[in-house]
Amino acid sequence: MDLQALYQEIILDHYKRPSHRGLHEPFDIEVHHVNPTCGDEITLRLSLDGERITNLSWEGMGCSISQASTSVMTTLVDAKTVDEFSITSDSFLALMHGKGTVVPDEEILEDGVAFSGVAKYPARIKCALLGWMALKDALVQLIDSKSTDAKIISIVPDRSRDER
Amino acid sequence: MDLQALYQEIILDHYKRPSHRGLHEPFDIEVHHVNPTCGDEITLRLSLDGERITNLSWEGMGCSISQASTSVMTTLVDAKTVDEFSITSDSFLALMHGKGTVVPDEEILEDGVAFSGVAKYPARIKCALLGWMALKDALVQLIDSKSTDAKIISIVPDRSRDER
Amino acid sequence: MALDVARLKNDFPIFARTVRDGKPLIYLDSGATSQKPRLVLDAERNFYEQHNAAAHRGAHQLAEEATEAYEDARSKVAKFIGAADNEIIFTKSATESINLVAYALSNSNFTDAKRFHIGPEHEILVSEMEHHANLIPWQELAKRTGAKLRWIPLTDEGRLDLSNIDSLITSSTKMVALTHQSNVLGTINPIAGIAKLVHDRGALFLVDACQSVPHQSVDVKALDVDFLVFSGHKMLGPTGVGVLYGRAELLDEMPPFLTGGSMIEEVHMESATYARAPQRFEAGVPNMAQAVGLAAAIEYLERVGMDQVQEHEELLVNHAIDGLLGISKVRIIGPFGGIHRSGAVSFTIDDIHPHDLGQVLDDLGIAVRVGHHCAWPLMRRFGISGTTRATFYLYNSISDVDALIAGVEATKKFFKVA
Amino acid sequence: MALDVARLKNDFPIFARTVRDGKPLIYLDSGATSQKPRLVLDAERNFYEQHNAAAHRGAHQLAEEATEAYEDARSKVAKFIGAADNEIIFTKSATESINLVAYALSNSNFTDAKRFHIGPEHEILVSEMEHHANLIPWQELAKRTGAKLRWIPLTDEGRLDLSNIDSLITSSTKMVALTHQSNVLGTINPIAGIAKLVHDRGALFLVDACQSVPHQSVDVKALDVDFLVFSGHKMLGPTGVGVLYGRAELLDEMPPFLTGGSMIEEVHMESATYARAPQRFEAGVPNMAQAVGLAAAIEYLERVGMDQVQEHEELLVNHAIDGLLGISKVRIIGPFGGIHRSGAVSFTIDDIHPHDLGQVLDDLGIAVRVGHHCAWPLMRRFGISGTTRATFYLYNSISDVDALIAGVEATKKFFKVA
Ligand SMILES: Cc1ncc(COP(=O)(O)O)c(C=O)c1O
Ligand SMILES: Cc1ncc(COP(=O)(O)O)c(C=O)c1O
């Protein structure tokens, strides 16, 4: 049944006991992303220590898919380099847009493979990508603004549609 | 054949040798009406001598129906009273909107009965009414403004759609 | 007396299909868009196959027929809501209808149509339960003109809180724009009563009837409103057609919004003069087939009877509310309890996000809407991020409602929520 | 090589009917609106019968399918004109598309989208051959902002007179809006060449492609324009759908026009932020069935081949011009004589008013358009009040043209004009 495939235990576990949830200090950037179709929101904080993502924390309001996916993401990329994030993120995106035909790379995605079922529900792909897009956006802004030292608090649109 | 019924000889005669055509002085009012769908235009001048329509003259650019109808109208109502115009005009309008089922009153409409065929061509009814609407509008304005003595030169919209 | 839904359903081809591996379609999302009876599809097709030409633009037979079909559709719509033919403007949607009025207001500042002039000395009044379509155009109008946007707050039950209405509608109020029925709460607002207040203060009154015209008999003269808007696609009609009703004497004065062909009187390179309403507000080759389809939808609704439709939906919604309230952790957002309300019911369940509930229902073949329903400020008012919403129409049966109730129970089980 | 018209005609149900007491329909008014092939009607119907739901607004299966159908239609349109998906905005018509850009420009004055700001220091440039749809919205924009409207005059032959173009496109020019093909004259304007001038001066360039996209292969990148608009109903598609192409980087910055649901990012009572293009410009439940129908029309056109369509129309129009020139007192309005031109031919006959000519042709079953063709200033330029216009499309045959010629002769006889 597709529904069981969608809501795997791992997802429900992350939803109930999310990782890295609860906003922390210090941070270099905070971004706030929303899913305009359903109103789900995520606030994400992090720092960049050279090439390395640190101090990852978040808060959010949303469905099991968006919240669990963000939780899984944080476990995957915390203390990883930007390049490592890119590889993981690309792999996750490919899985989401694969219409159910992409075989996920367990080595890279670990718990993230649990989201394979989402690919069959186009309306939910945005949910699964909410946290990923927020982090991606935060990194772009952070790298763009390396010259200035001020903290960046920004509200930016959800870009996930562009990935369609 | 409907086409012969539409373009009766009387119509084509009035088209070629229109009555009251060529703008004259003096006049109390001049109105300019257009048919916005095809661009046909009519300029109409007249005076009111008490209740009586006088000094009727006009100039126009348009199809045989619009020009002939204006010409016929002027022969019918020149030197008539406003009330007489109303009766004639009501009779002509009823004929136009009768979808071919109204029997025209020859006593009132005289040459105007030649336009019976127009009623079957909805797009042409506006043409046939152009001059009539101009005169009607001129009279309304003239009566409205009897207090002022200034000459009125106005451009007003074609109201014939309202009569639909 | 309930409608003979089994028979009605046969008129709607989509119910012959199944969803999610062969499950019958239980469509409870008519508030978003309704399904279409065969009659409507046939009417559109017949227009294209028999009479298609540019209305108001040709002297040939097809053009005459197209014009007649289009204008007959206008008359049909006019009669349906108690208006005159020249008070009906065809737009592409209720959204366009509202924007039309909002832009006409700011455009009037460049004309001598004083009645519509709006500036920093003016206020625009909406409510906290408005659909984005009846909120953002007014925010933007305020931005363009300096006018101030104010709003009527809501009671905890989900009704307009009219206790301070006298200080909200003042002599500065230029426009009051309210929904007739909330698309989320099911609330029916007391429009006729408010209309009196609005007109006493000399303001204009626009009513968003997107959720009322499809579901009950509406008479614009009885409501005494200045403008009223709705969409064809929510009332069995095609997509791509909406309606703006406007009081004749207002439309006659109001400047145009979209400009172009067929809305003109005379055109020069530097400037143009404009035709009278409704033409003035219908630039371009019109959405003829869609207008004709909407007229057919009205014919269908009239055959069933709008009072019957309303009664039927009340029956369904009350059955739904009873059933939902019997489930623990369910909270209904909006007024309920033996009252006159519309066939829309919104609810939340503790510990299950609407999106997840909607997904399980979908898997059972039940289509509901989840999220903020284009009424985000309303969600904030109730401290929630979204609801699950079921909306009923004439093709829904009591057993559809029972399936919904059972589906909610099944979802709780699925997510192990007690 | 001419198209196999007899076979194509079978795809268009309307040609099975007759007009004026049993005469076969000879439809030479496709410039106003085109007829629809069965494929298009089937595609629309299939959408309603199988996938109808509110796109982008639901999590259930029908909503997913509706979204996919709608977005697939967008991709189809994008590919057809060489654009990216997010550069295509569905509107109700070309008229709306042009108004969208004109209003977005004035709206930008209330935002920090500097690229679009327009005021009294700016000029807008159009031409004397524009359809009202590409003239009046700019007159109105000028009225709203104080910008100055200027225009490119025409040569006696009916071409843009570009001799003073350098003084017309200046550093003050904000927007240049020109038609690709005249709907009256048959002139094809040298868009790509003008685009270079426009961009050199830093202005924006909008092209009205209503009469080109249906009749020839158009590539927006090759033309190098910023905006391009057209209507579905003129290219075998349904009524109620138009397209605005906009260069991605411009759409990303441009403020919205119609506001409401589905075009938002976040909404509060006082203000809202907006989604990216194309959503930002598509407020409300979209005209989904019409977009799907338009995609089917494009599929049909692609099967026939746009180059074939164009070649076929050139054949017809040249045959028509030859025939008409052989009739005394006929005057062709627009360029002719072995040149690259579109399948529209306008003409006058001394002593017979176009309306009267059109009426006799109609009686013979021949549908043409008469009057000013929504290009009144163009009529004034040529000192006439109107023309008779025949426009050709892929379902017209040489014998249709011959019928037109014979009809003109018959009309002269009928009105006793030698
Ligand atoms: C050149 C041109 N531009 C604009 C339009 C307007 O198109 P629509 O009425 O479909 O908006 C037309 C057709 O009427 C046209 O021929
Ligand atoms: C109350 C209300 N107002 C306005 C709208 C907007 O209607 P449309 O999207 O058809 O323009 C809707 C539907 O979405 C609605 O429910």
Side-chain angles (χ1 to χ4, degrees):
Chain A
M1 194 180 136
D2 282 352
L3 202 64
Q4 302 285 4
L6 177 64
Y7 289 112
Q8 294 191 25
E9 275 310 321
I10 302 178
I11 293 182
L12 298 180
D13 285 350
H14 273 275
Y15 183 41
K16 276 186 198 136
R17 280 171 297 276
S19 183
H20 293 70
R21 181 148 166 181
L23 295 173
H24 290 300
E25 306 261 356
F27 61 97
D28 289 349
I29 189 168
E30 175 181 304
V31 293
H32 179 74
H33 272 225
V34 299
N35 180 338
T37 28
C38 58
D40 284 3
E41 309 184 24
I42 253 162
T43 305
L44 193 81
R45 288 179 178 180
L46 68 142
S47 302
L48 258 192
D49 181 4
E51 273 295 295
R52 206 161 290 280
I53 296 165
T54 60
N55 298 328
L56 205 46
S57 74
W58 64 284
E59 193 49 80
M61 195 162 75
C63 66
S64 60
I65 304 293
S66 70
Q67 305 298 296
S69 173
T70 305
S71 170
V72 168
M73 176 187 77
T74 57
T75 63
L76 288 175
V77 306
D78 194 22
K80 295 279 158 62
T81 66
V82 173
D83 284 349
E84 284 167 324
F85 165 73
S86 287
I87 291 167
T88 314
S89 155
D90 287 353
S91 178
F92 192 73
L93 256 74
L95 179 61
M96 288 302 99
H97 292 126
K99 300 193 171 179
T101 63
V102 171
V103 181
D105 187 333
E106 273 218 60
E107 202 102 329
I108 297 176
L109 291 180
E110 302 177 23
D111 278 5
V113 300
F115 292 88
S116 302
V118 175
K120 287 204 188 141
Y121 295 92
R124 304 307 295 274
I125 296 172
K126 267 191 173 184
C127 306
L129 293 180
L130 186 59
W132 295 81
M133 288 302 133
L135 180 48
K136 202 171 189 176
D137 175 52
L139 290 172
V140 168
Q141 287 191 54
L142 211 46
I143 292 160
D144 273 7
S145 67
K146 263 303 169 193
S147 46
T148 81
D149 261 327
K151 267 189 193 166
I152 304 162
I153 301 200
S154 73
I155 298 188
V156 294
D158 164 47
R159 308 283 170 176
S160 55
R161 236 207 76 76
D162 306 324
E163 312 292 334
R164 196 174 174 273
Chain B
M1 194 180 136
D2 283 351
L3 203 63
Q4 302 285 5
L6 177 63
Y7 290 111
Q8 294 191 24
E9 275 310 321
I10 303 177
I11 295 182
L12 298 179
D13 284 351
H14 273 276
Y15 184 42
K16 276 185 196 136
R17 280 170 298 276
S19 183
H20 293 70
R21 181 148 167 180
L23 294 173
H24 290 301
E25 306 260 356
F27 61 96
D28 288 349
I29 188 168
E30 175 180 305
V31 294
H32 179 73
H33 272 226
V34 299
N35 180 337
T37 28
C38 59
D40 283 4
E41 308 184 25
I42 254 162
T43 304
L44 193 80
R45 288 180 179 179
L46 67 142
S47 303
L48 257 192
D49 180 4
E51 273 293 295
R52 205 161 290 281
I53 297 164
T54 59
N55 297 328
L56 206 47
S57 73
W58 65 283
E59 194 49 81
M61 195 163 73
C63 65
S64 59
I65 304 293
S66 70
Q67 304 298 297
S69 172
T70 305
S71 170
V72 167
M73 176 187 77
T74 56
T75 63
L76 288 176
V77 305
D78 193 23
K80 294 280 159 62
T81 66
V82 173
D83 284 349
E84 283 167 325
F85 165 73
S86 285
I87 290 167
T88 314
S89 154
D90 287 353
S91 177
F92 192 74
L93 254 74
L95 178 63
M96 288 302 99
H97 292 126
K99 301 193 169 177
T101 63
V102 170
V103 181
D105 186 334
E106 274 218 60
E107 203 104 325
I108 299 175
L109 291 180
E110 302 177 22
D111 276 6
V113 302
F115 292 88
S116 303
V118 176
K120 286 203 188 142
Y121 295 92
R124 303 308 294 276
I125 297 172
K126 266 191 176 184
C127 307
L129 292 180
L130 187 57
W132 295 80
M133 289 301 133
L135 180 47
K136 201 171 190 176
D137 175 52
L139 290 172
V140 168
Q141 288 190 55
L142 211 47
I143 292 160
D144 275 7
S145 67
K146 263 303 169 196
S147 46
T148 80
D149 262 326
K151 266 190 193 164
I152 304 162
I153 300 198
S154 74
I155 297 187
V156 294
D158 165 46
R159 306 283 171 179
S160 56
R161 236 206 77 76
D162 305 325
E163 312 291 334
R164 197 175 173 271
Chain C
M1 193 208 63
L3 296 176
D4 182 355
V5 171
R7 200 176 53 78
L8 290 179
K9 251 185 182 156
N10 277 334
D11 296 336
F12 292 77
I14 204 166
F15 292 115
R17 75 161 277 178
T18 58
V19 289
R20 299 291 178 218
D21 301 323
K23 302 201 186 69
L25 169 63
I26 296 173
Y27 188 75
L28 304 181
D29 197 17
S30 297
T33 198
S34 69
Q35 297 305 335
K36 324 297 176 200
R38 203 169 284 108
L39 179 78
V40 167
L41 307 183
D42 288 346
E44 270 209 90
R45 187 159 195 137
N46 179 62
F47 175 82
Y48 286 128
E49 294 193 345
Q50 296 296 329
H51 314 294
N52 179 64
H56 292 301
R57 287 200 186 179
H60 52 79
Q61 187 181 348
L62 286 185
E64 281 175 3
E65 292 176 7
T67 305
E68 195 177 338
Y70 182 61
E71 292 302 328
D72 284 353
R74 192 193 307 280
S75 299
K76 189 107 204 161
V77 171
K79 279 205 195 70
F80 190 58
I81 59 167
D85 290 6
N86 63 351
E87 295 181 315
I88 298 299
I89 292 155
F90 283 120
T91 62
K92 71 171 176 177
S93 63
T95 299
E96 186 196 337
S97 300
I98 297 169
N99 277 274
L100 189 165
V101 176
Y103 276 104
L105 256 62
S106 52
N107 284 348
S108 80
N109 291 350
F110 305 97
T111 73
D112 54 11
K114 288 225 178 62
R115 181 82 189 79
F116 300 95
H117 286 189
I118 178 166
E121 68 278 22
H122 289 123
E123 294 176 358
I124 304 161
L125 184 67
V126 297
S127 89
E128 224 175 341
M129 69 165 78
E130 298 311 314
H131 188 281
H132 294 161
N134 198 30
L135 170 61
I136 310 181
W138 306 115
Q139 291 178 350
E140 289 286 322
L141 173 63
K143 218 197 274 178
R144 288 196 299 278
T145 62
K148 189 171 176 334
L149 184 72
R150 303 183 68 187
W151 55 90
I152 304 174
L154 303 187
T155 67
D156 289 342
E157 207 198 354
R159 298 180 182 281
L160 295 179
D161 179 353
L162 298 173
S163 51
N164 289 313
I165 191 71
D166 277 335
S167 68
L168 286 170
I169 308 182
T170 72
S171 58
S172 305
T173 309
K174 186 82 201 182
M175 168 63 78
V176 178
L178 292 179
T179 193
H180 192 183
Q181 295 189 186
S182 161
N183 64 317
V184 178
L185 304 164
T187 314
I188 302 179
N189 289 323
I191 295 302
I194 299 172
K196 208 180 138 14
L197 281 175
V198 175
H199 289 138
D200 280 354
R201 304 291 161 90
L204 295 166
F205 194 13
L206 178 143
V207 164
D208 175 355
C210 275
Q211 297 292 344
S212 59
V213 165
H215 301 287
Q216 63 169 84
S217 155
V218 167
D219 183 309
V220 290
K221 303 298 172 190
L223 291 178
D224 194 27
V225 297
D226 299 310
F227 301 101
L228 183 132
V229 310
F230 54 98
S231 275
H233 68 90
K234 291 186 201 276
M235 53 190 288
L236 313 185
T239 60
V241 60
V243 171
L244 169 65
Y245 155 81
R247 208 189 278 277
E249 64 268 30
L250 289 173
L251 292 185
D252 263 353
E253 275 183 59
M254 198 165 82
F257 165 49
L258 298 181
T259 56
S262 296
M263 52 73 73
I264 55 101
E265 185 181 289
E266 263 193 272
V267 182
H268 297 261
M269 279 312 291
E270 303 88 347
S271 68
T273 55
Y274 302 124
R276 303 187 74 188
Q279 271 68 37
R280 187 191 309 158
F281 301 101
E282 294 182 359
V285 173
N287 45 359
M288 299 171 289
Q290 290 76 40
V292 165
L294 175 55
I298 288 175
E299 203 179 305
Y300 187 91
L301 285 170
E302 281 177 336
R303 260 189 237 165
V304 177
M306 288 312 293
D307 292 345
Q308 278 66 38
V309 169
Q310 186 178 15
E311 219 176 282
H312 178 71
E313 288 179 29
E314 255 185 73
L315 203 106
L316 297 179
V317 80
N318 284 324
H319 188 66
I321 289 171
D322 288 349
L324 288 168
L325 288 177
I327 303 173
S328 68
K329 302 205 171 174
V330 165
R331 174 182 165 208
I332 305 261
I333 310 294
F336 58 89
I339 49 120
H340 183 48
R341 84 194 296 293
S342 84
V345 56
S346 269
F347 59 99
T348 59
I349 305 182
D350 300 347
D351 306 325
I352 303 182
H353 188 277
H355 226 141
D356 293 320
L357 172 56
Q359 195 76 55
V360 180
L361 293 177
D362 171 51
D363 200 67
L364 299 166
I366 304 165
V368 294
R369 178 133 175 230
V370 298
H372 54 60
H373 315 295
C374 299
W376 208 328
L378 174 61
M379 298 298 118
R380 290 209 186 80
R381 162 64 181 79
F382 285 94
I384 52 183
S385 74
T387 75
T388 300
R389 181 189 74 175
T391 44
F392 303 108
Y393 215 173
L394 42 71
Y395 38 64
N396 291 122
S397 62
I398 288 284
S399 73
D400 290 350
V401 179
D402 290 335
L404 171 69
I405 309 292
V408 172
E409 301 267 25
T411 308
K412 285 182 68 182
K413 204 168 283 167
F414 183 85
F415 287 116
K416 303 189 181 71
V417 170
Chain D
M1 191 208 62
L3 296 177
D4 183 354
V5 172
R7 201 176 51 77
L8 290 180
K9 251 185 184 158
N10 279 333
D11 296 337
F12 293 77
I14 205 166
F15 291 114
R17 74 162 278 178
T18 58
V19 289
R20 299 290 177 216
D21 301 323
K23 303 201 184 69
L25 169 64
I26 296 174
Y27 188 75
L28 303 181
D29 197 17
S30 297
T33 198
S34 70
Q35 297 305 336
K36 325 296 176 199
R38 204 168 286 109
L39 179 77
V40 167
L41 307 183
D42 288 346
E44 271 209 272
R45 189 163 193 133
N46 180 62
F47 175 82
Y48 286 128
E49 294 192 345
Q50 297 295 328
H51 313 294
N52 179 64
H56 292 301
R57 288 200 186 178
H60 53 79
Q61 187 181 350
L62 286 186
E64 282 176 2
E65 291 176 9
T67 306
E68 195 176 339
Y70 182 62
E71 292 301 328
D72 284 353
R74 192 192 306 281
S75 299
K76 190 104 204 165
V77 171
K79 279 206 193 68
F80 189 61
I81 60 167
D85 290 6
N86 62 353
E87 294 181 317
I88 299 299
I89 293 155
F90 283 120
T91 62
K92 71 170 177 179
S93 63
T95 299
E96 185 195 337
S97 301
I98 296 169
N99 277 274
L100 189 166
V101 176
Y103 276 104
L105 256 62
S106 52
N107 285 348
S108 80
N109 291 350
F110 305 96
T111 72
D112 54 10
K114 288 227 177 60
R115 180 83 189 80
F116 300 95
H117 287 189
I118 177 165
E121 68 277 23
H122 289 124
E123 294 175 358
I124 304 160
L125 184 66
V126 296
S127 89
E128 224 175 340
M129 69 166 77
E130 298 311 316
H131 188 279
H132 295 161
N134 199 30
L135 171 61
I136 309 181
W138 306 115
Q139 291 178 349
E140 289 286 323
L141 173 63
K143 219 196 274 178
R144 288 196 299 278
T145 61
K148 189 172 177 331
L149 184 71
R150 303 183 67 186
W151 55 90
I152 305 174
L154 303 186
T155 67
D156 289 341
E157 208 199 352
R159 298 180 183 279
L160 295 178
D161 179 352
L162 299 172
S163 51
N164 288 314
I165 191 70
D166 277 336
S167 68
L168 286 170
I169 308 182
T170 73
S171 58
S172 305
T173 310
K174 187 81 201 182
M175 169 61 79
V176 178
L178 293 178
T179 193
H180 192 182
Q181 295 190 186
S182 162
N183 64 316
V184 177
L185 304 164
T187 313
I188 302 179
N189 289 324
I191 294 301
I194 298 172
K196 209 180 136 14
L197 281 175
V198 175
H199 290 137
D200 281 355
R201 305 290 159 93
L204 296 166
F205 194 14
L206 177 143
V207 165
D208 175 354
C210 276
Q211 298 292 343
S212 59
V213 165
H215 301 288
Q216 64 170 79
S217 154
V218 167
D219 183 308
V220 290
K221 303 298 172 189
L223 291 178
D224 193 29
V225 297
D226 299 309
F227 302 101
L228 183 134
V229 309
F230 53 97
S231 277
H233 69 90
K234 291 186 200 278
M235 53 190 289
L236 313 185
T239 59
V241 60
V243 171
L244 169 65
Y245 155 82
R247 209 189 278 277
E249 64 268 30
L250 289 173
L251 292 186
D252 264 352
E253 275 183 59
M254 197 165 83
F257 165 49
L258 298 181
T259 56
S262 295
M263 52 74 72
I264 56 100
E265 186 181 290
E266 262 193 274
V267 182
H268 297 261
M269 281 310 293
E270 302 87 346
S271 67
T273 55
Y274 302 125
R276 303 187 73 187
Q279 272 67 37
R280 187 189 310 158
F281 301 101
E282 294 182 358
V285 172
N287 44 359
M288 300 170 290
Q290 290 74 41
V292 165
L294 175 55
I298 289 175
E299 202 179 305
Y300 187 91
L301 285 169
E302 281 177 337
R303 259 189 239 167
V304 177
M306 288 311 293
D307 291 345
Q308 278 66 37
V309 170
Q310 186 178 15
E311 218 176 282
H312 177 72
E313 289 179 28
E314 254 184 72
L315 204 106
L316 297 179
V317 78
N318 284 325
H319 189 66
I321 289 170
D322 288 350
L324 288 168
L325 289 176
I327 303 173
S328 69
K329 302 205 171 172
V330 165
R331 175 183 165 206
I332 304 260
I333 310 295
F336 59 90
I339 50 120
H340 183 50
R341 81 193 300 290
S342 82
V345 56
S346 269
F347 59 99
T348 59
I349 305 182
D350 300 348
D351 305 326
I352 303 182
H353 187 276
H355 226 143
D356 293 319
L357 172 56
Q359 195 76 55
V360 180
L361 293 178
D362 170 51
D363 199 67
L364 298 166
I366 304 165
V368 295
R369 178 133 175 231
V370 298
H372 54 60
H373 315 294
C374 299
W376 208 328
L378 175 60
M379 297 298 118
R380 290 210 186 81
R381 164 64 180 79
F382 285 94
I384 52 184
S385 74
T387 75
T388 300
R389 181 189 76 177
T391 45
F392 304 108
Y393 213 174
L394 42 70
Y395 38 64
N396 292 121
S397 62
I398 288 285
S399 75
D400 290 350
V401 179
D402 290 335
L404 171 69
I405 309 292
V408 172
E409 302 266 25
T411 308
K412 285 182 69 183
K413 204 168 284 166
F414 183 85
F415 288 114
K416 303 190 181 73
V417 170

